Amino acid sequence: MKRLNRKDFPGAKYTTRVVQFGEGNFLRAFLDWQLDILNEKTDLDAGVVIVRPLNTDFPPSLNTQDGLYTTLIRGLNEHSEAVKEFRMIRSVNDEINVYTQYDQYLELAKDPNIQFIFSNTTEAGISYVESDKLTDKPAISYPAKLTAFLHERFLHFSGSKQSGLIIIPCELIDYNGDALKKLVLNYAQQWQLSDKFVSWIENDNLFCSTLVDRIVPGYPKAQITELETELGYKDNFIDTAEYFYLFVIQGPQWLAEKLCLDKCNMNIKIVDDIKPYKERKVAILNGAHTALVPVAYLAGIDTVGESMNDPQILSYIKDTIFDEIIPVLDLPHQELVDFAESVINRFKNPFIEHQLMSIALNSMTKFKTRILPQLLAYQKEKGVLPKHLVFSFAALIALYRGIRNEQNYSLQDDAIWLERFRSGWIKIAEGRGTLADLVNTILSDNTHWEHDLLSIPQLAETITQYLAVIIEKGVRPAIEQCGISGK
């Protein structure tokens, strides 16, 4: 069986216009996949040079396959139909290791065809390392590496306006474009670079903040023999991803034309502010996960997919999203509904096994950021408590009891929360405390919640009421007895 390469599998090759920091699975099944489609269907003509930002030889370089690899997209489409799509990605032209090919890295900065820089160097990548210097080959941090690249380009093109770049980070931090630009300017000051360079960064380079969304499981090790037989070639870089994807870029509308988005229907949005889209994702996708976990797990379910095959739990989470989360979000209603429907399909994806207990990590913080804002907004707007979200709060407290079907399980969270729950449940078991005491203790941590939850009318009482039924009868009977939908 032939190994994937451009000689045996000839096809289109595109002009290098993109520098991509990061060789990982996510960018290859997200950004490079999107560029490949745009290259095929429009005149974008954007080839990619990947810069490996860390000094490692694992995984091997994509150059071993001439930049070619296969994506396998699997999941449920907009019509809830199972989808399985292979695509040979031809958008990557080269991969360089900045640690062993630094001169080649700086030469890349002098290429007049380069227009874009994308990155995903993990959340820790956009960071400041005080010891980084311009003379390092290379500097440690990604922003310092980028500053050196931009400075080389500035010098080569004498600071011309046309040589400025569009810089689009994909790291999962708030307003990542702003954060990256700030660090580049910090290095420019620390390295005492010219005022003209600083002005060029400020005025002629565009830093765009983004929101990225796609689950990318990556290399399908367990199925590789079967998949390579189906493909008819060997590929060491097969990259699997879910069907859904979303790329929201905060920037000027001319960027849509620059990316040829007017010529191809892609789920890439150019917006004035990513905040509403981030709130939508956190509230609907992440919020639904966090609301689902304690209810489904205590109902005897272990994965998100199993939850979606359970009529009672599916009904519960749908009503949570559509009746209590969407009504308090500030985006067009139909757009929210469409996104919510895609979330349900993502949860149902039979190709991804998402363990509920992996989502349960640090649930107390997740509840504060993902659920509490909608709970409070609903209560303020409607004058009543959102019963599904409050029920999930009660189930979360029950989850931290650490017992399911008379079997113990462990949770991972900040030590202060684990100890607070441990001692609270022990006091209840020994008759030295009540469920109301535990609920009041949890709600009284104003520093954590950043709100006085005990002042919310009926919140503590309702959580205590729901919690009592959950402990006495179990989650499933509690859903019915407490008047929570679930059938």
Side-chain angles (χ1 to χ4, degrees):
M1 185 181 293
K2 291 182 178 178
R3 188 177 301 280
L4 193 56
N5 61 77
R6 290 187 184 266
K7 179 181 177 181
D8 294 324
F9 298 87
K13 186 154 185 177
Y14 305 102
T15 304
T16 297
R17 304 190 191 278
V18 175
V19 176
Q20 173 181 309
F21 288 85
E23 79 290 348
N25 291 324
F26 177 77
L27 282 183
R28 291 195 297 108
F30 183 74
L31 172 66
D32 300 331
W33 175 86
Q34 292 175 70
L35 292 175
D36 198 70
I37 293 173
L38 288 167
N39 283 336
E40 178 187 313
K41 298 184 180 298
T42 76
D43 56 358
L44 179 65
D45 185 29
V48 178
V49 171
I50 293 176
V51 176
R52 185 172 294 217
L54 299 177
N55 191 16
T56 175
D57 293 326
F58 184 83
S61 171
L62 266 175
N63 291 341
T64 59
Q65 293 185 174
D66 299 330
L68 299 182
Y69 64 95
T70 310
T71 54
L72 171 56
I73 308 303
R74 298 186 292 190
L76 302 181
N77 65 15
E78 297 85 353
H79 308 292
S80 297
E81 301 164 337
V83 172
K84 179 181 178 182
E85 300 173 346
F86 289 107
R87 183 178 188 86
M88 188 182 295
I89 304 300
R90 297 184 174 276
S91 54
V92 177
N93 291 337
D94 194 11
E95 180 180 334
I96 65 175
N97 185 325
V98 69
Y99 286 84
T100 60
Q101 299 170 287
Y102 192 72
D103 290 343
Q104 187 175 335
Y105 170 70
L106 292 184
E107 281 299 312
L108 189 60
K110 302 173 185 178
D111 187 339
N113 292 316
I114 299 296
Q115 298 178 346
F116 299 93
I117 293 180
F118 292 88
S119 66
N120 186 10
T121 56
T122 78
E123 295 90 309
I126 298 183
S127 60
Y128 177 71
V129 177
E130 187 175 1
S131 61
D132 277 334
K133 299 187 294 293
L134 180 61
T135 53
D136 290 338
K137 297 184 177 184
I140 296 171
S141 75
Y142 162 54
K145 291 183 180 76
L146 177 60
T147 306
F149 183 94
L150 292 172
H151 188 251
E152 188 73 15
R153 188 171 181 86
F154 169 80
L155 294 176
H156 182 75
F157 291 104
S158 302
S160 71
K161 186 177 184 65
Q162 295 74 23
S163 63
L165 300 175
I166 300 166
I167 300 163
I168 306 179
C170 300
E171 289 83 356
L172 298 178
I173 63 172
D174 283 344
Y175 292 99
N176 44 21
D178 295 341
L180 181 57
K181 181 177 182 179
K182 181 179 179 180
L183 288 174
V184 168
L185 291 172
N186 281 351
Y187 280 115
Q189 181 180 18
Q190 177 182 322
W191 296 345
Q192 299 181 338
L193 303 180
S194 70
D195 291 342
K196 289 184 178 180
F197 173 70
V198 171
S199 177
W200 182 75
I201 291 293
E202 291 272 21
N203 299 316
D204 300 325
N205 290 266
L206 177 65
F207 288 77
C208 300
S209 292
T210 65
L211 181 147
V212 299
D213 191 5
R214 181 173 237 178
I215 297 172
V216 178
Y219 186 72
K221 184 177 180 180
Q223 303 160 293
I224 191 61
T225 301
E226 171 192 341
L227 292 174
E228 288 183 336
T229 299
E230 190 173 351
L231 288 167
Y233 56 80
K234 293 188 69 63
D235 183 353
N236 289 331
F237 296 91
I238 293 179
D239 202 0
T240 62
E242 67 171 331
Y243 177 81
F244 178 89
Y245 72 97
L246 172 65
F247 198 1
V248 184
I249 304 172
Q250 182 174 301
Q253 284 305 307
W254 56 258
L255 190 55
E257 183 177 347
K258 190 81 170 177
L259 289 167
C260 297
L261 301 181
D262 55 330
K263 300 175 182 176
C264 183
N265 185 24
M266 302 286 289
N267 202 18
I268 306 174
K269 299 179 182 293
I270 310 299
V271 301
D272 294 331
D273 188 356
I274 60 172
K275 183 178 179 181
Y277 294 90
K278 180 177 176 59
E279 290 177 345
R280 180 184 74 172
K281 177 179 181 288
V282 170
I284 296 179
L285 174 64
N286 303 127
H289 264 154
T290 299
L292 172 69
V293 166
V295 176
Y297 189 76
L298 292 178
I301 296 171
D302 292 321
T303 69
V304 173
E306 292 174 72
S307 303
M308 297 298 98
N309 291 324
D310 185 295
Q312 185 185 41
I313 302 302
L314 176 59
S315 177
Y316 170 82
I317 203 61
K318 278 187 170 181
D319 289 344
T320 300
I321 295 172
F322 289 99
D323 296 346
E324 296 180 1
I325 295 178
I326 284 179
V328 296
L329 297 180
D330 187 22
L331 273 175
H333 180 73
Q334 191 57 50
E335 194 171 312
L336 293 169
V337 168
D338 291 344
F339 182 74
E341 293 288 358
S342 73
V343 165
I344 297 297
N345 275 344
R346 297 171 75 183
F347 286 5
K348 291 179 178 179
N349 190 342
F351 301 104
I352 297 177
E353 187 175 279
H354 205 165
Q355 295 290 324
L356 293 173
M357 290 308 285
S358 70
I359 304 171
L361 176 69
N362 297 324
S363 282
M364 298 307 290
T365 295
K366 288 177 178 176
F367 196 94
K368 180 184 81 169
T369 58
R370 300 175 174 185
I371 298 290
L372 187 61
Q374 282 62 250
L375 190 158
L376 296 176
Y378 188 98
Q379 191 277 335
K380 182 178 181 180
E381 184 176 319
K382 310 288 185 183
V384 296
L385 293 169
K387 58 186 180 180
H388 294 78
L389 296 179
V390 175
F391 187 86
S392 73
F393 204 161
L396 182 63
I397 295 173
L399 183 76
Y400 277 74
R401 186 172 170 228
I403 300 174
R404 183 178 77 164
N405 298 330
E406 300 182 359
Q407 298 291 320
N408 294 327
Y409 55 86
S410 60
L411 290 133
Q412 291 181 275
D413 211 318
D414 292 339
I416 189 173
W417 280 115
L418 295 178
E419 176 55 28
R420 192 172 285 167
F421 279 112
R422 188 192 69 81
S423 61
W425 282 113
I426 287 176
K427 288 178 181 177
I428 292 169
E430 295 176 349
R432 296 184 291 111
T434 65
L435 292 177
D437 293 336
L438 177 58
V439 170
N440 285 338
T441 297
I442 301 307
L443 267 58
S444 66
D445 190 342
N446 295 356
T447 301
H448 174 79
W449 301 115
E450 299 179 4
H451 289 277
D452 180 8
L453 296 187
L454 291 176
S455 70
I456 306 298
Q458 296 301 308
L459 179 60
E461 294 85 351
T462 306
I463 291 175
T464 303
Q465 173 194 339
Y466 290 166
L467 181 59
V469 182
I470 292 170
I471 296 303
E472 179 184 356
K473 298 185 176 181
V475 160
R476 292 187 185 277
I479 289 175
E480 298 180 16
Q481 184 172 323
C482 296
I484 310 296
S485 61
K487 288 189 176 180

